Amino acid sequence: MAETRPVPGSAPILEFDPTREAVIEPSVVIKPRDVPVCAVLCFFQDVIERVVREHDGREVTRLRSEIGDNPIYEIQYRDRRLAIVHPGVGAPLAAGFLEELIALGCRAFVAAGGAGVLVAELAMGHVIVPTSAIRDEGTSYHYLPPGREVEANADAVAAIVATLERHKVPFVTGKTWTTDALYQIGRAHV
């Protein structure tokens, strides 16, 4: 079967709209609150529960979706207020929650989660710092112009690498692949 590539403008996902204001602007429907400026988006619920317990965290507010309420916790870490929240599963929910966190007042984010790997040498527990991503999902196309890949912010990667090195945490850097169809990998893309 021959590979076909869409022509920009031939599919809605390729029609990037650079307008800065959305039809439903989060800051219009969500009012700022007293939340920490820095937030950790953690995809591991058990880790969130342990961190909140160990740091005497408290719930400051909740994000709401069709799957229910999602608490935003605040902890004190090294004399700094820090939010910790599960960002939801799947790019659309995570992006929506991120928009809502920004509307609430969070401004700096780091995400920690899990992923499958296509490199046999990487086992569960390896820390991977993404340097770029193959864009094979739909959400990112609403935030950036169409393109097969996107590069991570070099300053952010350098800061994360420096932090991991300072704490002697083993890691690898590399390209990731965001996809909504994990069971289709290899059938049409590789």
Side-chain angles (χ1 to χ4, degrees), residues 22 24-27 29-30 41 43 62-66 70 72 85-106 109 137-140 142-143:
I24 302 172
E25 188 61 40
S27 61
V29 294
I30 298 170
L41 308 177
F43 286 88
R62 289 175 171 253
L63 300 172
R64 290 176 169 60
S65 74
E66 302 310 327
N70 192 14
I72 301 171
V85 61
H86 194 295
V89 176
L93 184 57
F97 279 173
L98 179 63
E99 294 273 8
E100 293 177 11
L101 287 164
I102 293 168
L104 287 168
C106 297
F109 301 89
E137 42 61 50
T139 302
S140 69
H142 295 279
Y143 290 87

Side-chain angles (χ1 to χ4, degrees), residues 69-155:
D69 287 352
N70 192 14
I72 301 171
Y73 298 102
E74 179 180 325
I75 65 169
Q76 282 295 125
Y77 184 75
R78 296 186 179 173
D79 299 324
R80 192 172 206 178
R81 295 173 66 204
L82 183 65
I84 184 165
V85 61
H86 194 295
V89 176
L93 184 57
F97 279 173
L98 179 63
E99 294 273 8
E100 293 177 11
L101 287 164
I102 293 168
L104 287 168
C106 297
R107 294 292 180 264
F109 301 89
V110 66
V117 296
L118 300 175
V119 178
E121 296 78 33
L122 294 177
M124 188 162 25
H126 275 93
V127 174
I128 302 169
V129 179
T131 56
S132 63
I134 297 172
R135 297 168 67 194
D136 189 18
E137 42 61 50
T139 302
S140 69
Y141 288 85
H142 295 279
Y143 290 87
L144 296 170
R148 185 168 181 81
E149 293 185 22
V150 64
E151 296 293 319
N153 178 288
D155 292 337

Side-chain angles (χ1 to χ4, degrees), residues 35-67:
V35 296
V37 173
C38 298
V40 175
L41 308 177
C42 181
F43 286 88
F44 305 116
Q45 190 62 41
D46 58 327
V47 172
I48 293 172
E49 291 168 5
R50 188 176 75 239
V51 168
V52 169
R53 186 175 58 251
E54 290 175 0
H55 292 273
D56 295 320
R58 66 182 184 92
E59 185 178 317
V60 291
T61 191
R62 289 175 171 253
L63 300 172
R64 290 176 169 60
S65 74
E66 302 310 327
I67 62 171

